[in-house]
Amino acid sequence: MDHTVKTGYLQGYPNKEFRPEKQIPRVEVIAALASGLSLKPSTKATKTLQVYTDRAKVPKWAANKVASATEAGIVVNHPKRTLLQPNRTATRAEVAAMIYQAMAKKGKVPAKSSEYVVKPLKLPK
C-alpha cells in the first residue's frame, strides 16, 4: 500500500485517511486509475462527458479524471455503456474490468474489444 501512495497511484482521502474498509464508488475507481496512469484529458471534460446520459452526477473534482479515463478506454459500463452511475458502489467485476483496461493501456496485457468499453463521442469541433 505504501508504494501506491508514494508513487502517486492512490492518494486516499483528506487528512491522510485511506479507509480500506469503505465501499468505493465507481467514480473513485475511475479517478484512481486515471491518476495512477497520469492521464490528462485532450479536450474539455464537458465535451468528453457528453457520452454519459448521467454526466451531471459526476462530481466536479472528478470530471477531468473521468474524461481522461474515458478517452483512454478504461471505463467499462455494463449493461448500458452510456450510463456511468458514478456514485454507485463499484462491484468487484467492474473494478477488475477497469483494471484490465488500464493494464492493456500500459501494454501489460493484450487489449480486448468489448461493446461495454466506453468510447468518446465524435463531436464537431
Side-chain angles (χ1 to χ4, degrees):
M1 197 62 68
D2 286 342
H3 178 71
T4 58
V5 174
K6 286 178 185 173
T7 59
Y9 205 87
L10 292 176
Q11 294 181 13
Y13 295 91
N15 301 324
K16 299 187 180 189
E17 290 183 55
F18 197 71
R19 303 179 192 167
E21 302 300 320
K22 179 187 178 283
Q23 292 187 336
I24 188 165
R26 289 172 44 82
V27 71
E28 290 182 20
V29 172
I30 295 165
L33 291 172
S35 292
L37 294 172
S38 301
L39 300 176
K40 303 287 183 231
S42 66
T43 187
K44 287 187 177 185
T46 53
K47 268 187 162 180
T48 303
L49 296 180
Q50 286 182 23
V51 70
Y52 301 112
T53 56
D54 58 346
R55 62 189 161 272
K57 294 180 181 178
V58 175
K60 288 183 180 172
W61 66 264
N64 282 334
K65 294 185 185 304
V66 172
S68 61
T70 301
E71 289 179 12
I74 291 171
V75 181
V76 180
N77 292 335
H78 180 271
K80 190 173 180 185
R81 185 173 54 208
T82 61
L83 188 61
L84 183 62
Q85 301 180 64
N87 301 304
R88 182 178 55 74
T89 299
T91 66
R92 290 192 292 187
E94 291 169 332
V95 173
M98 288 191 253
I99 289 173
Y100 187 92
Q101 290 301 114
M103 291 173 60
K105 174 78 176 159
K106 293 293 278 180
K108 302 290 183 185
V109 296
K112 295 186 179 189
S113 62
S114 169
E115 64 184 279
Y116 304 111
V117 174
V118 181
K119 295 168 184 65
L121 296 173
K122 297 203 186 314
L123 300 169
K125 294 188 180 195

